[in-house]
Amino acid sequence: MAKNNHNHHIEDSYDVIVVGSGPAGAMAAKFAAAGGASALAVDRRNEIGSPVRCAEGVPLTAETLESGFGVRFSRNFVAQDIKGSAIISPSGHRREFKTGRVTGFVAERKIFDRHLAMAASVAGAKVMTSTNVVGLAKGRNGNIKGVIIERFGERLDVSAKLVIVADGICSKVGRMAGFYTALNPHDVDSCLQYEMHGVDIDDPELFEVYFGNKLAPRGYAWIFPKGAERANVGIGIAADSKVPASHYLDSFVRSRKDLQEASIVQTQAGLISVGLPLQDMTKDGIMVAGTAARHVDPITGGGILMAMQAGRAAGTVAADAVAEGDFSKGFLDRYNDSQDIKNITASITRNYKMRMAMEHMADEDFDSLIAALPDSFAEINAVGILKLVSRSPKLLKFAKYLL
Amino acid sequence: MAGNPKINTTQASVDGNRCLKCGGCISVCRFNAIDMPHSNIVIDANSCTGCGVCFAACPVSALSATKRAEERAA
């Protein structure tokens, strides 16, 4: 197929093509390239990281980013360092959980995501925006042999030995490949967020999280500081709710004088998976990673770190597959069996149970739970929460959901 | 299912003035009826059953039911 001037720099063939260049895709491309494979990461968006569809909380330290992912840390994408969280119960009681050290940051996602894509490029991968994958190219035996892309109105066939799908919540390509059908709306949160200026922030180093069935049914509201006066103010509710997220967010904003008077400098919407992850993320010649594989925490809705871990695992296995010339599901199952994926699956499954328990909690139960949390909550693990619930007579009825 | 008047008299339509183009509706559509080819939501009338799952999921209520063209003509 002849190429126009826009597309002459896309090769006819790569070892690995990554669909989507968010955190999962960028890390998949980076680790595939670092392992010696030729890799192309395409993103249908004109600007990586935009539109922002998340609260931008990243539970990553500079050390983890550099030692775990080989990505140079930069202050450019840090809007605010975070040292803990404040949880506000339905009755308005505030508990602060401080760790005394930086545990993560609120990011400028547009800068952070582009930084990750550049890290892929530094490792030798090619990244290409405004490039939409419209189909999977298959051989006579039905095996995937590449992708069909559309860029500046032109269609191109690009061959690949391996495709990594990291195209986020919609995951059109994941559907094409037969990994799944639609998400169950009850296992999805519908989210709306305003980036606001002029917010009275008690402590900019804390994530603020608000619970309550009237405030945010089956979800929570958040204020994630981006400096002393600016914050992401958002809400997530069950996607099968009859009332839209916008109604709850506007009620939350109206409930506070500072928010009512603050400016809204960005409006961001999105759906996030709060269900279980894909159990099987591989087929012959193809793997899925990140939000496309539902690698999202069902309680917090956070997914950036897990997406990066899944991308790292997929990229590493992809490079090994290229080195050994084996693209069968049998080989790619090393990705399913990787430590990164085991950790992700265990943590999502645990928090999914917790989410199910929370779904049955009345506001008084939330009050009891939040009051019962130990001061060391920021460090607590799931077993700790189970113990906590088992010890509190009022909360014991929820223990069954956690087992 | 085509021709069943109970489920097929309506289809989803998107209010372009409300839509924030997050694409969330695509992820919950069981019929693969929604796409965002060039940063705008497009609903395929042939695939959409008007089931309403996307109406509820949309954070800003940008999706709603409209009568199908053939219904309006009738």
Side-chain angles (χ1 to χ4, degrees), chain A residues 44 53 132 150 169-170 172 175 182-183 185 188 190-192 239-241 244-246 267 269-271, chain B residues 20-32 34-38 53 56-61:
Chain A
R44 76 174 183 178
R53 288 183 287 191
N132 195 11
E150 200 172 71
I169 179 97
C170 303
K172 296 288 279 188
R175 282 199 202 194
L183 290 160
V188 174
S190 175
C191 305
L192 188 66
D240 54 3
S241 158
S246 55
T267 309
L271 262 55
Chain B
L20 295 170
K21 292 148 181 75
C22 74
C25 46
I26 298 169
S27 67
V28 291
C29 177
R30 282 173 285 167
F31 305 98
N32 257 327
I34 314 180
D35 200 358
M36 195 163 56
H38 299 101
V53 164
C58 177
V60 291
S61 296

Side-chain angles (χ1 to χ4, degrees), chain A residues 92-113:
Chain A
H93 185 63
R94 178 187 173 95
R95 293 282 314 273
E96 292 189 352
F97 304 95
K98 297 181 180 176
T99 62
R101 61 190 161 80
V102 175
T103 54
F105 57 90
V106 180
E108 296 291 355
R109 279 291 301 275
K110 290 175 197 175
I111 303 173
F112 182 64
D113 284 25

Side-chain angles (χ1 to χ4, degrees), chain A residues 118-178:
Chain A
M118 302 257 265
S121 186
V122 168
K126 179 134 185 166
V127 181
M128 188 80 61
T129 52
S130 311
T131 306
N132 195 11
V133 172
V134 294
L136 289 164
K138 291 184 178 173
R140 256 187 236 144
N141 54 5
N143 278 1
I144 288 162
K145 60 174 188 129
V147 297
I148 304 157
I149 62 173
E150 200 172 71
R151 189 163 186 275
F152 292 120
E154 188 188 36
R155 280 192 179 209
L156 294 172
D157 282 343
V158 188
S159 336
K161 294 168 180 159
L162 197 54
V163 174
I164 299 176
V165 180
D167 54 352
I169 179 97
C170 303
S171 196
K172 296 288 279 188
V173 178
R175 282 199 202 194
M176 286 175 202

Side-chain angles (χ1 to χ4, degrees), chain A residues 219-238:
Chain A
Y220 66 93
W222 63 82
I223 298 181
F224 283 11
K226 294 176 101 173
E229 294 184 347
R230 187 166 60 106
N232 286 334
V233 179
I235 211 147
I237 57 163

